[in-house]
Amino acid sequence: MNQRILRLILIIAGLTLSVSSNAQLMNHYWSQNFNSESSLLSGAVVAGDGGNTSIYYNPATISEIKMGSNLSFAATLFTWGAYYFSNALGNGRDVYNISFNVQPQFMSYSYRPKGSKFSFAFSIITRMKEKFDINYYDSRMIDIISSTPGEENYNVEYKYFLEYSDNWFGIAAAYDINEKFKVGGSLFLSANYTSYRYTLSASAFSPNDTIWVQGTPRPTPVTESYYTENLRFIDYRFIGKLGFSYVLDRWRFGLNITTGSFHIFSTKKEAHREYSISNVTNPDNDKFMPGYEIDQGLLRGDLKATAKYPFSIAFGFIYGSKKKSDNQFYFTAEYFAGIKPYKFVDAPIDTEITSGIIYNEMDNKDWLSFVDVAKPVLNVAVGYRWKIRDQLMFMSGFRTDFNNIHNADYKEYSDYNKINSADINIYHYTGGFQFKMLQKYLLVAGGEISFGQERNREQIANFSDPVEYNSNTGTVLQGPLDDKMDIFYFGFNVYLSATFKFGNK
């Protein structure tokens, strides 16, 4: 095989074959909130009024609870999200994913002893949950193989699956330094689950032509290109928070510092990656290129896996239209630091994953490792609470949700494998009502609308205008990739929560 052609194919196998745009929320920090009261204010509660979610937004504001204890439940009655990828697999070949989840979202218990300046809280939070499952198949007759006359049966397959969740289990305490200034801290154990599978394949064969082998008719060879990758693991890590709260007349201010994550251990680790081609003729010089395969898979102890969470700092304030008024304006901004490129799946290098000739031509021999990165992100949220009457309030808010991998620089890991994911920004609008009942119960109901779009992105594949072999890109049974893909997202959530207060105040 021509060495330049071989090298080009191997580069493409390691880089562009797996470039696509699918998964969304795992590259965002503000996609979900955890309690309906704070959710309807779009999370703009770092300065206060986070209710039992204070353990997450600012543990210093846990001290807002009165003497006694609170038990709070919150659930997303349903979460509906739709992603649409126009021209993703070629001109006029669109794919989409529609997800519908009914899930518990938040549970917490907070307690303040009588006459004490200390407050305590415990919480279970679903910080993130997402599931993608996209399948595409097509079969048609076209003339694509140069070595056989007439049309061939052309078959393509595209599969994408991602299940991602991040559950936090936390404890917190707050202390009243005085009536105006309070401080608090929380510690979370995060269980981060990632399960990912991706397949892209194409084949072509003549259903009519035959070749003769020693006088015996045989079907013509199948030209094929096949790529697949998958991984799975659960990563456990500690994350800490330190919060401050200060009250000044109509103003309330809050500051919350979140540490980066501290890896503990990982379980259920597995990874596999395979690429193969067979029976391909280069139409530029009519040279037949023999097939080859690169294949590596590992389980558990042979793999290292970790998922990092960044350092962040959040500032917020609340302003009341008059002293002690329930009509209030909320603001929060949170800066998330970047994460340097790192191997979040680290596999040992194996020299026997393919033939010696192919292995020697591979630029990156770390075939099975996956890398990740995160750019710095600044998100902003605003909210408003309007008192309709003594027992009824309306709350609404808006927040940004910027993607953390848009134009990210992977530096020395630029030619490593990555989870295929999109980099569009998402925006959220929230609104709903809070009801007080008998001074002991607090009910909140409302919803959220989310949207985002990105135009003129590079296609995942080109199955609409395929050629047997493209010597410029090294792709087999595909056409050139153009910047013609448009990505659209629309989401809708319905929230419901209940808080039960125990104690005399």
Side-chain angles (χ1 to χ4, degrees), residues 58-65 111-113 115-121 172-186 242-246:
N58 185 351
T61 58
I62 294 173
S63 59
E64 290 179 349
I65 67 172
Y111 174 67
R112 181 164 186 161
S116 175
K117 292 186 176 182
F118 284 96
S119 305
F120 306 93
Y175 179 74
D176 296 357
I177 296 176
N178 53 49
E179 291 184 356
K180 294 185 176 182
F181 186 54
K182 299 158 187 175
V183 63
S186 57
L242 178 63
F244 304 90
S245 175
Y246 184 75

Side-chain angles (χ1 to χ4, degrees), residues 329-472:
F329 174 79
Y330 299 76
F331 173 84
T332 288
E334 186 167 12
Y335 171 80
F336 295 88
I339 298 175
K340 295 180 180 179
Y342 71 100
K343 295 181 184 180
F344 78 100
V345 172
D346 190 359
I349 295 177
D350 187 351
T351 61
E352 298 180 350
I353 60 177
T354 186
S355 66
I357 296 176
I358 300 297
Y359 184 82
N360 291 333
E361 290 295 327
M362 294 174 62
D363 289 332
N364 179 19
K365 296 176 172 56
D366 196 352
W367 175 255
L368 193 54
S369 294
F370 287 74
V371 299
D372 196 15
V373 69
K375 293 181 60 179
V377 169
L378 176 64
N379 281 320
V380 176
V382 294
Y384 187 77
R385 185 172 69 175
W386 174 41
K387 183 177 179 180
I388 300 176
R389 56 177 185 266
D390 288 343
Q391 306 301 323
L392 179 63
M393 296 183 188
F394 174 76
M395 295 177 290
S396 65
F398 175 84
R399 72 183 185 275
T400 64
D401 192 10
F402 295 122
N403 192 286
N404 60 26
I405 64 167
H406 182 68
N407 293 328
D409 184 2
Y410 287 85
K411 300 185 184 299
E412 69 270 23
Y413 296 112
S414 59
D415 61 344
Y416 275 68
N417 203 33
K418 312 159 186 75
I419 283 187
N420 305 315
S421 54
D423 57 0
I424 70 171
N425 300 321
I426 300 177
Y427 304 90
H428 308 267
Y429 171 77
T430 56
F433 295 89
Q434 180 188 79
F435 307 88
K436 289 184 180 179
M437 301 176 61
L438 305 176
Q439 302 300 320
K440 291 279 187 178
Y441 309 102
L442 188 67
L443 301 179
V444 179
E448 174 179 290
I449 296 175
S450 306
F451 59 91
Q453 69 173 21
E454 190 74 23
R455 295 183 179 274
N456 301 320
R457 306 312 302 269
E458 186 177 79
Q459 297 168 307
I460 300 171
N462 186 349
F463 297 139
S464 60
D465 307 296
V467 295
E468 181 176 359
Y469 175 72
N470 188 323
S471 58
N472 294 324

Side-chain angles (χ1 to χ4, degrees), residues 52 165 232 271 281 306 444:
N52 285 348
S165 64
R232 184 179 69 164
T281 300
T306 182
V444 179

Side-chain angles (χ1 to χ4, degrees), residues 163-208:
E163 185 175 1
Y164 178 86
S165 64
D166 191 10
N167 296 298
W168 288 24
F169 309 85
I171 56 174
Y175 179 74
D176 296 357
I177 296 176
N178 53 49
E179 291 184 356
K180 294 185 176 182
F181 186 54
K182 299 158 187 175
V183 63
S186 57
L187 179 64
F188 288 93
L189 171 64
S190 164
N192 183 297
Y193 174 74
T194 303
S195 179
Y196 164 73
R197 297 190 298 272
Y198 174 88
T199 299
L200 186 66
S201 68
S203 65
F205 64 90
S206 173
N208 302 315

Side-chain angles (χ1 to χ4, degrees), residues 28-46:
H28 295 255
Y29 300 121
W30 275 16
S31 289
Q32 288 182 270
N33 285 306
F34 320 114
N35 171 274
S36 296
E37 181 179 1
S38 58
S39 294
L40 297 183
L41 291 169
S42 277
V45 293
V46 167

Side-chain angles (χ1 to χ4, degrees), residues 32-33 35-36 39-40 74-81 100-105 429-432 444-450 491-497:
Q32 288 182 270
N33 285 306
N35 171 274
S36 296
S39 294
L40 297 183
T76 300
L77 289 185
F78 67 83
T79 299
W80 181 85
F100 181 84
N101 293 314
V102 179
Q103 62 188 32
Q105 193 180 32
Y429 171 77
T430 56
V444 179
E448 174 179 290
I449 296 175
S450 306
F492 182 72
N493 298 339
V494 173
Y495 296 119
L496 179 66
S497 75

